[in-house]
Amino acid sequence: MTSERGMIEAAAEVEPLLIYVRANGASTPPLLMNPVPTWTVRFFTKVGQQSLYVQLPAPVEAYRSLDGARLDPDAILRELGLLPYEMIELRSAAPNTDSSRA
Amino acid sequence: MTTTNRTRQLYWKPSYVDLDAMYPPLASAGIHFDDWDSWDDPFRMNYRQYIDVQAKKEVGFHPVRDAFERYDGMQHMPRRWAEGMKLVFPFLQTAEVAANRAHSRTARYAPAPALRTAAFYQSIDEVRHFQNHLFEMRTYNQKTDGFDNWAFWRDNHFAIAPAKVVMEDMMASDNVFESIIALNLCVEVVFTNLIFIGIPSVGALNGDTALAQEMLTTQSDETRHMAIGQSTVRTLLRDERNLEQIQYWFDKWFWLIHRIVAGPVGMIPDYFAKRKYIPFQEMYKRYVIDNFISGMVDDLAEFGLKPPRHLEQAKAELPDMSHSMYRTLFQYKTMLFNRMFVPTDEDLEFFDNGYPTFTANHGKFWDDVRAGDRKDLAQLPMTCQMCALPCVFPVPEAPTVCCSVYEGKAFWFCSDGCKFIFDHEPYRYGNRVTIDRKLNGLDVRQLRMRMGLPKGIGGVLKADDDI
């Protein structure tokens, strides 16, 4: 309980990042998100799809839009060196995908 | 010299202050012209003549509006048309106020006396226009909601806030000639026929005779504004040193005005008009491509002026622009002050016939909506750093969003056209805060509370609302 409270308090104290998220193949416009910097890319991918009203066929991968680099799912967001307002693009790695419901 | 000609030269060289102090060179920096005093105004008139002409125009408009109001003209309008007017009139009013201020700046700072006089009359024209737009809103306000706090709500509405962003940028240009190219040429020559002739045609078809007459009286002034814009461009292009600067402003402002007009205004004839005239893209083709590009621009080719740099991109957007904008607003219907509606079978048939790619690009969205999917989005979309419109992609596999990095931050644009402008003037646009960033962290429910939208405003028209 103490460690969970600690994580919640630590998350509350950390200033969120400012990152846009977009789902490839979806017509939903990119949305500005405020993820906690300690989130993993994997968690961000899950939350991002929910915010975008999208369900991409698994597995879903995250890419940095500025340079097209694929992001390690286990990487921590704050360690990626993202500029304010960068965009992360979510793409389905499954073959012949029919993308979104948006 | 005749008395008339003598009285038309009412400027003078100051004896107690330097001319540059009265008319700062910054206002025309980079523009070459030999003798500003010799600049000619094609519409030479004195103030009395101006007032006489304008008074007659008012006499032509207000009786029509009075009659519309007296005989409850709104009862003959489809309900959806009134919802569309909640977008049109705040948009126009904002644009006309900015135009008034832009012409006022030109009237104060232009180096040519004739241009100052012409701009002075134009600034008063714009006052007449925005006053009449306000009068229209007053008329609607008596019978429908959504107009009483429009100025505040406008600043948070995707389709209207861009008009404020772009038009206020135009009026704040350092160089009055940039304002003239932007306003007299790109707005008043290129796009006002589309707005003030095309839209009234649809309005009259949908029972809104007051709007039709109001817009036609507005357009009657635009002919004078257009003439000043065209004569200015022709005069400046006679000196080839001006070509590069004029070309850039032309490319820039054509693109920006296209963006704020084509999407928001395009929804009016395509969606908010129950009784339809022609598809918006046909209207655009008629008034912008055929009239302007194939007319005036071709004429100016002798001076080296080329068609707008992103013209082909503008044309490529037309099949989807009104539809993408409408879909986006539909997905944010709970935070708008106008009501949206689900297109009817008749609407969809019109779209299928007028837009060959409609079913492929937008059909599934409306099928899902009709099956019960509300499609509501909880957070604001990315808005373009330049045109302030949402970055939406009708063809999801071909997103047009692009990015520039400036001073350690990423800036996003809906298109190459917007990125082109930013990359030329990042110092001017790099501090602008887009609406999604300004309201970051607020979800739709919180935005609605922040905007003070009362219960019942926004949402969707019911099926029996004469959609």
Side-chain angles (χ1 to χ4, degrees):
Chain A
M1 181 67 107
T2 303
S3 64
E4 282 179 2
R5 177 187 282 179
M7 282 172 61
I8 292 168
E9 285 175 354
E13 286 166 8
V14 173
E15 198 169 314
L17 296 174
L18 296 162
I19 300 177
Y20 286 104
V21 66
R22 183 178 171 269
N24 194 42
S27 58
T28 312
L31 303 182
L32 183 58
M33 293 188 60
N34 297 266
V36 177
T38 51
W39 284 3
T40 60
V41 169
R42 179 177 289 108
F43 188 67
F44 176 81
T45 301
K46 181 180 166 191
V47 174
Q49 289 183 79
Q50 290 169 353
S51 298
L52 288 166
Y53 200 73
V54 157
Q55 201 165 8
L56 295 175
V60 179
E61 295 175 328
Y63 291 78
R64 188 177 184 183
S65 293
L66 268 189
D67 58 13
R70 182 178 165 280
L71 300 174
D72 177 1
D74 295 317
I76 305 294
L77 288 180
R78 71 171 167 210
E79 292 167 5
L80 295 175
L82 300 171
L83 296 175
Y85 304 112
E86 271 206 53
M87 184 154 69
I88 292 179
E89 192 171 290
L90 308 178
R91 300 181 201 167
S92 172
N96 299 323
T97 59
D98 179 11
S99 53
S100 72
R101 59 191 176 99
Chain B
M1 186 185 286
T2 64
T3 304
T4 309
N5 285 339
R6 196 176 290 124
T7 56
R8 281 179 178 168
Q9 291 179 324
L10 293 177
Y11 58 90
W12 64 93
K13 299 269 190 306
S15 60
Y16 52 89
V17 65
D18 191 60
L19 202 62
D20 281 355
M22 277 178 72
Y23 305 109
L26 182 63
S28 56
I31 294 297
H32 303 273
F33 190 74
D34 289 332
D35 180 12
W36 294 112
D37 290 353
S38 69
W39 188 288
D40 192 32
D41 171 13
F43 282 93
R44 293 175 147 225
M45 60 180 146
N46 60 36
Y47 189 66
R48 173 169 285 179
Q49 287 169 324
Y50 171 78
I51 294 299
D52 282 346
V53 168
Q54 296 306 99
K56 287 188 178 82
K57 291 178 186 177
E58 287 288 279
V59 167
F61 160 55
H62 283 285
V64 175
R65 190 197 44 75
D66 283 339
F68 180 84
E69 212 173 300
R70 187 177 311 123
Y71 299 112
D72 193 14
M74 283 192 69
Q75 66 175 313
H76 303 297
M77 286 165 32
R79 183 77 190 276
R80 62 162 89 176
W81 182 258
E83 299 301 325
M85 294 305 101
K86 295 175 189 176
L87 303 181
V88 168
F89 280 100
F91 177 104
L92 288 179
Q93 205 275 353
T94 301
E96 305 279 13
V97 169
N100 158 255
R101 293 163 76 178
H103 288 311
S104 300
R105 277 189 73 248
T106 304
R108 170 62 184 85
Y109 292 113
L115 203 46
R116 291 197 294 272
T117 307
F120 169 66
Y121 292 136
Q122 286 175 107
S123 70
I124 307 174
D125 290 340
E126 307 295 358
V127 173
R128 184 174 85 89
H129 298 170
F130 74 68
Q131 286 178 339
N132 285 341
H133 295 330
L134 281 169
F135 227 127
E136 283 292 289
M137 284 199 258
R138 172 197 161 278
T139 298
Y140 295 129
N141 195 42
Q142 293 174 66
K143 295 286 181 178
T144 186
D145 58 20
F147 285 101
D148 49 328
N149 203 10
W150 65 271
F152 179 68
W153 294 335
R154 165 205 57 201
D155 292 350
N156 298 281
H157 194 297
F158 303 137
I160 312 173
K164 188 173 182 210
V165 167
V166 171
M167 298 297 287
E168 291 190 350
D169 178 30
M170 173 201 72
M171 80 182 186
S173 301
D174 281 335
N175 195 313
V176 298
F177 289 101
E178 177 173 2
S179 288
I180 292 172
I181 299 297
L183 181 53
N184 289 77
L185 192 65
C186 293
V187 175
E188 290 168 333
V189 177
V190 185
F191 286 102
T192 55
N193 281 337
L194 177 65
I195 299 169
F196 294 122
I197 298 179
I199 301 301
S201 309
V202 186
L205 207 55
N206 286 271
D208 197 348
T209 47
L211 169 139
Q213 193 67 9
E214 198 265 339
M215 288 197 173
L216 290 176
T217 190
T218 301
Q219 187 63 358
S220 67
D221 292 334
E222 303 296 355
T223 46
R224 181 159 27 84
H225 301 189
M226 290 182 206
I228 290 161
Q230 292 184 54
S231 68
T232 299
V233 167
R234 284 177 190 280
T235 303
L236 292 179
L237 286 178
R238 286 199 177 94
D239 188 325
E240 62 184 17
R241 293 173 294 176
N242 294 323
L243 176 60
E244 187 178 351
Q245 180 65 80
I246 302 287
Q247 184 72 60
Y248 169 67
W249 285 335
F250 184 44
D251 293 341
K252 169 183 177 181
W253 289 103
F254 172 85
W255 180 255
L256 286 174
I257 305 300
H258 157 78
R259 288 294 299 167
I260 66 166
V261 167
V265 172
M267 290 189 289
I268 303 303
D270 279 351
Y271 285 85
F272 290 100
K274 180 175 181 176
R275 294 184 275 273
K276 301 191 196 298
Y277 176 36
I278 54 175
F280 175 72
Q281 69 170 351
E282 289 305 312
M283 229 180 253
Y284 189 105
K285 185 174 176 303
R286 181 182 296 184
Y287 292 112
V288 178
I289 308 298
D290 295 344
N291 279 6
F292 176 69
I293 303 298
S294 302
M296 196 189 120
V297 174
D298 285 353
D299 280 347
L300 292 174
E302 67 172 292
F303 299 108
L305 190 73
K306 298 192 182 91
R309 173 185 283 260
H310 300 283
L311 175 63
E312 294 309 311
Q313 189 170 6
K315 288 182 193 172
E317 289 188 343
L318 287 177
D320 293 295
M321 224 168 157
S322 63
H323 306 298
S324 296
M325 182 61 58
Y326 191 86
R327 281 173 57 178
T328 305
L329 294 191
F330 189 85
Q331 293 189 274
Y332 291 96
K333 50 191 170 297
T334 54
M335 64 159 280
L336 303 178
F337 62 87
N338 68 297
R339 291 179 189 83
M340 307 299 285
F341 58 91
V342 180
T344 61
D345 290 340
E346 290 76 19
D347 293 324
L348 296 177
E349 187 183 343
F350 178 82
F351 299 148
D352 277 335
N353 291 336
Y355 295 92
T357 56
F358 176 81
T359 301
N361 292 346
H362 309 282
K364 183 177 182 309
F365 181 91
W366 293 114
D367 288 344
D368 291 347
V369 169
R370 286 171 157 214
D373 190 343
R374 285 182 56 92
K375 299 283 191 184
D376 288 341
L377 291 172
Q379 285 162 264
L380 290 177
M382 171 194 276
T383 48
C384 176
Q385 183 71 17
M386 279 308 306
C387 70
L389 286 167
C391 294
V392 291
F393 317 111
V395 182
E397 293 76 18
T400 54
V401 70
C402 42
C403 181
S404 290
V405 175
Y406 177 69
E407 294 189 344
K409 282 189 206 160
F411 294 93
W412 295 95
F413 312 96
C414 61
S415 57
D416 290 337
C418 285
K419 177 175 158 63
F420 167 77
I421 300 165
F422 182 89
D423 288 345
H424 272 73
E425 299 176 82
Y427 47 86
R428 181 167 171 176
Y429 298 110
N431 288 325
R432 180 186 280 175
V433 182
T434 53
I435 195 171
D436 61 319
R437 297 183 190 189
K438 184 171 80 170
L439 301 175
N440 177 37
L442 302 179
D443 61 27
V444 169
R445 185 187 59 81
Q446 290 164 322
L447 285 164
R448 200 182 160 85
M449 286 171 57
R450 181 181 180 277
M451 287 167 67
L453 289 174
K455 201 174 174 183
I457 293 269
V460 182
L461 286 174
K462 301 190 205 50
D464 58 354
D465 277 330
D466 186 21
I467 296 172

